[in-house]
Amino acid sequence: MPAPAFRFLHASDLRLDQPLSGLAELPDEWKNIVAEAPFAAAQRVFDAALRERVAFVLLSGNLLDTQACSPRAMAFLLDQFEKLEAQG
């Protein structure tokens, strides 16, 4: 008898705290969008995990630098992990 199937979500290289370069060369209306892009992408990953009710989320490589991360990045991740845990 085959094992029951399960679904999971894998993401890597979110780099939530990596400084962005080249922002000065962008038009003003794009600067904030580009600066917020890593968090927006990560939010979409977690939203998809919740929407699709995956069994687990695998985050591998270059999520953030735990030795130099910002309080914002750590709080963001903790909030997302709590949401996942709440949904089981």
Side-chain angles (χ1 to χ4, degrees):
M1 179 172 210
F6 65 91
R7 296 170 59 176
F8 69 95
L9 188 145
H10 172 249
S12 68
D13 296 307
L14 296 176
R15 301 175 190 263
L16 293 177
D17 272 336
Q18 182 170 345
L20 299 173
S21 61
L23 290 180
E25 297 148 16
L26 291 174
D28 288 340
E29 61 270 14
W30 282 92
K31 288 179 183 177
N32 190 53
I33 294 168
V34 172
E36 292 296 316
F39 284 92
Q43 185 66 61
R44 288 186 179 113
V45 167
F46 289 107
D47 289 348
L50 293 169
R51 183 179 60 253
E52 299 298 325
R53 303 189 59 79
V54 299
F56 64 92
V57 176
L58 174 62
L59 300 172
S60 61
N62 297 313
L63 181 59
L64 56 80
D65 179 356
T66 57
Q67 300 300 313
C69 70
S70 69
R72 176 187 179 204
M74 190 60 74
F76 171 82
L77 285 176
L78 290 173
D79 183 52
Q80 299 308 312
F81 295 157
E82 288 171 359
K83 289 177 184 176
L84 291 172
E85 182 181 30
Q87 193 172 48

